[in-house]
Amino acid sequence: MLNEDKIKLMNEIATFEKRGGKDIFPVNRYFQGDYVSSRMIRSFLSYTVCYILCMLIWILYNMEQILNIVNLDTLAVEGRKAVLLYLSGLVIYQLITIAVYRRRYEYAKRGMKVYLAKLKRLEKRYEFQNRAKELTKEGSRRDDVTRT
């Protein structure tokens, strides 16, 4: 006998696993601090690589002006500006990374709670169904014993 509630619940669980599971299940392997710090390391590396590439492009584009300014003091000032620009951009990027990945972690935790609640509800449905089957078997056995 098919139980419509159980089928709907199983369908919801399968849909959740297919759509949201790819984002939620990997997050739940970590504590929040570990998850956010690993993403911060990733963002640090990606920001650094992007900044270096952008600086190289800018240097190649302005090579003629740079070669005309062979003065070491001017180059040192420009280098300090570049480092200051890098550090300020890095701090802003890291703050954005912290905010985004904390939210994602919280969203994943809430999603996992919903998923586990649905699994528990499904498990209770199975337990209820198994108990009902056992009771009907016991009842039929008693009827057979009393008839003989």
Side-chain angles (χ1 to χ4, degrees):
M1 184 170 132
L2 295 176
N3 186 347
E4 288 184 30
D5 293 335
K6 196 166 65 171
I7 292 171
K8 286 179 184 178
L9 191 58
M10 290 171 70
N11 190 21
E12 287 177 14
I13 291 171
T15 304
F16 180 81
E17 286 175 351
K18 189 173 185 178
R19 290 186 184 164
K22 64 182 178 183
D23 297 330
I24 291 175
F25 294 133
V27 171
N28 285 308
R29 292 187 217 150
Y30 302 101
F31 291 112
Q32 183 177 10
D34 295 338
Y35 179 72
V36 172
S37 63
S38 70
R39 299 304 183 213
M40 285 179 65
I41 291 170
R42 249 190 211 177
S43 67
F44 168 77
L45 294 174
S46 63
Y47 180 81
T48 302
V49 168
C50 288
Y51 186 81
I52 290 171
L53 289 175
C54 288
M55 285 304 295
L56 286 175
I57 290 171
W58 183 82
I59 288 171
L60 291 174
Y61 184 75
N62 294 317
M63 186 62 82
E64 184 178 342
Q65 292 174 357
I66 293 171
L67 290 177
N68 286 338
I69 307 172
V70 183
N71 188 356
L72 247 27
D73 293 333
T74 309
L75 287 176
V77 169
E78 293 299 321
R80 285 187 194 119
K81 285 181 187 177
V83 169
L84 185 63
L85 180 66
Y86 168 76
L87 292 175
S88 61
L90 181 64
V91 167
I92 292 169
Y93 193 68
Q94 290 294 340
L95 291 174
I96 292 171
T97 300
I98 289 170
V100 166
Y101 285 105
R102 277 189 181 169
R103 275 198 182 157
R104 285 187 185 177
Y105 186 84
E106 292 300 322
Y107 174 77
K109 279 296 183 187
R110 278 187 266 126
M112 193 62 170
K113 285 181 184 178
V114 170
Y115 176 73
L116 290 175
K118 287 181 181 182
L119 283 178
K120 285 180 183 178
R121 198 169 4 146
L122 182 63
E123 183 181 18
K124 286 181 182 180
R125 300 264 179 177
Y126 273 110
E127 287 175 4
F128 177 75
Q129 190 176 16
N130 288 340
R131 270 193 243 133
K133 284 181 184 179
E134 288 175 10
L135 290 176
T136 55
K137 285 181 185 178
E138 287 178 16
S140 64
R141 286 183 195 158
R142 287 181 189 162
D143 291 340
D144 291 339
V145 171
T146 55
R147 286 184 191 165
T148 56

